[in-house]
Amino acid sequence: MNAVDLDDVNKEQVKVLALQQYIAWLQGILEKPVSAEDNFLDIGGHSMIAIALNERVRNEFNLTLSMERLYNSTLSETFYSIK
């Protein structure tokens, strides 16, 4: 049986929570429904929103999003790819 690294489990939980918060923030800013499978740019996101929300994620969860990934993949792929 493989041992579970609690740091990895906790980091994955933080990513899920951060993604949920990010989606809630985006819904408030964009004033429309947003899902984890949406592409940031396709739903109306732009660089100023990305910078502001990335700062919130960094301050609240100590995570930094890849802007390249944010622009080119789904929101869930962006968060789950954080190292």
Side-chain angles (χ1 to χ4, degrees):
M1 179 181 255
N2 293 338
V4 175
D5 185 340
L6 292 179
D7 288 336
D8 288 341
V9 171
N10 290 338
K11 189 166 190 174
E12 291 308 308
Q13 291 172 336
V14 168
K15 289 178 189 180
V16 169
L17 181 58
L19 174 59
Q20 291 169 347
Q21 288 294 319
Y22 197 89
I23 288 171
W25 295 328
L26 281 174
Q27 289 180 147
I29 291 168
L30 299 174
E31 298 179 342
K32 65 181 178 181
V34 175
S35 82
E37 298 312 310
D38 286 332
N39 173 278
F40 178 76
L41 295 176
D42 290 345
I43 59 173
H46 54 75
S47 61
M48 296 308 291
I49 293 173
I51 291 167
L53 293 179
N54 196 22
E55 189 67 25
R56 289 187 78 164
V57 169
R58 184 179 307 121
N59 289 339
E60 291 189 29
F61 299 102
N62 198 30
L63 299 173
T64 301
L65 303 176
S66 161
M67 291 296 114
E68 180 181 355
R69 187 170 293 273
L70 180 63
Y71 290 159
N72 295 309
S73 60
T74 66
L75 295 173
S76 63
E77 290 170 341
T78 300
F79 276 82
Y80 297 136
S81 69
I82 297 170
K83 304 283 187 227

